[in-house]
Structure formats: C-alpha cells, structure tokens
Amino acid sequence: MLSGSPTRTKQVPESGVQPHILVVDDARDIREPLVRYLKESGYRASAADGAQAARRLMRTSGIDLVILDIMMPGEDGLSLCRSIRENSGIPVIMLTARGEELDRIVGLEVGADDYVAKPFNPRELLARVGAVLRRTNTLPPRLRRALPLRGMGVQRRAARDRGSRRFGASAVERRVQAADGVSGAAESGPVA
C-alpha cells in the first residue's frame, strides 16, 4: 500500500526526456495509484499485472526502469528480474511485501538494483527511482560502449548483432545513442 505524504516535485531530467517506468504488480490497488503518482511526478509510466504482460511491454516500449513485485501468480518477480538482467541493462527496483533481510539479499543477488518493502512511502520510492536512473546513466559514452549489455547504447547494437529481437530501446538509450552518433537512435520501436 502507498503510505506517506503525496507531496512531490517534478522529476523530469534536464534533457527533457521523460524516463519510462514500468510497474509490474498483480495488485491493482498498488499498481494503478503508483502509475498515476509516477506520471504526476513527471515520468512516463506503464503498468503490467504480471510477467507475461511485462515482457510484452518491454519488447514494444522503450522502458528505462522496472518497478517489480516478487509475489505474483505464474512467473514470480525474481524469475522475471533474472531474465531482465540476462537480456538487458534495464534497472530493476523490487517493490514487495517480502521485506526480511534474506528476501532483500536474494532480490539484490538475482539482479535488482534496489529493494523497497511494502508498505512504502511513495516519496521514498520516487527518490530511489531518481537515484537508480542517475546511477545507470553516469558512465561516459566510451565506457558505456565497452560494457556488454550493461551500458546504455550497447544493448541495441548487441541485439542487432545477434539478429534477435530483445527489449526496445529506451528513451535514455536513444538519447545516448544520438549523442554517440549511432544511426537509428531516434527510433522508438523494438530492437531491430
């Protein structure tokens, strides 16, 4: 459940590009207000009620960060997080009722970039989203190209080289590619 004060400030970065956040949670009473809160805070936000819907959105929409519940019917959040980590550099924040120390450790070990226990303060989650996005976009362009699948700008070229259709290029990745002079950087569709 959302707790705490709803007061917030717009979080749109200086570049003017709104990062696209995907909220994956089977609980509608958390998912929908959180998406609305993120939008009101200056982010683009989409929702998925499970892993299958999340995978579909990640293939067709440029996602910059995933907020992911662990306990969902069907494929759980840990499995989806592991898959995201194996296939992309999209950062993941686990948002779950499982807040014990061992649960947090396991979530971080499978690839989450941060972990927030429910109930949560939406302002804290918003601050964590901003912090994770800042951390994942601080490497200089030459180093981003050198990191396999973890650096922004590498994901699209690596997927194209393999001839596969992985996750779509995110707004942040397109901005980095444009700055690096990569052709097709303005495209917003799935990876070619």
Side-chain angles (χ1 to χ4, degrees):
M1 303 218 65
L2 298 174
S3 66
S5 170
T7 306
R8 62 197 159 275
T9 58
K10 294 284 184 179
Q11 300 289 319
V12 178
E14 291 177 23
S15 68
V17 176
Q18 293 177 307
H20 192 174
I21 312 298
L22 174 60
V23 177
V24 185
D25 198 315
D26 61 313
R28 180 184 297 186
D29 62 328
I30 292 175
R31 184 179 66 240
E32 291 179 0
L34 181 53
V35 166
R36 192 169 37 255
Y37 183 81
L38 290 165
K39 287 179 178 180
E40 291 170 0
S41 298
Y43 291 103
R44 289 184 321 154
S46 297
D49 62 359
Q52 185 176 8
R55 288 177 193 282
R56 190 170 37 255
L57 279 167
M58 285 188 289
R59 279 192 305 270
T60 61
S61 304
I63 302 297
D64 295 300
L65 183 139
V66 176
I67 297 174
L68 180 60
D69 184 23
I70 290 180
M71 297 184 299
M72 298 184 295
E75 183 179 0
D76 70 13
L78 291 174
S79 175
L80 180 58
C81 181
R82 190 177 299 113
S83 176
I84 291 169
R85 192 54 57 233
E86 290 170 357
N87 294 300
S88 77
I90 298 171
V92 176
I93 296 176
M94 301 301 270
L95 178 65
T96 181
R98 300 185 70 163
E100 297 297 319
E101 182 179 43
L102 183 59
D103 295 317
R104 292 190 311 268
I105 291 168
V106 169
L108 294 167
E109 286 179 345
V110 299
D113 296 280
D114 203 347
Y115 196 104
V116 178
K118 297 175 187 174
F120 63 97
N121 181 313
R123 288 187 67 193
E124 178 186 1
L125 179 61
L126 193 64
R128 289 176 181 270
V129 164
V132 169
L133 287 171
R134 279 192 309 275
R135 278 196 310 269
T136 58
N137 294 307
T138 57
L139 288 176
R142 64 181 172 74
L143 292 179
R144 284 190 298 262
R145 286 192 295 270
L147 297 174
L149 294 181
R150 292 289 300 171
M152 302 312 280
V154 173
Q155 175 183 338
R156 173 176 268 231
R157 287 189 299 278
R160 184 184 305 127
D161 292 345
R162 288 191 307 274
S164 63
R165 295 185 67 78
R166 297 286 182 183
F167 303 124
S170 69
V172 173
E173 185 178 33
R174 288 189 304 277
R175 189 177 74 241
V176 168
Q177 289 172 337
D180 289 347
V182 175
S183 65
E187 298 172 17
S188 61
V191 175

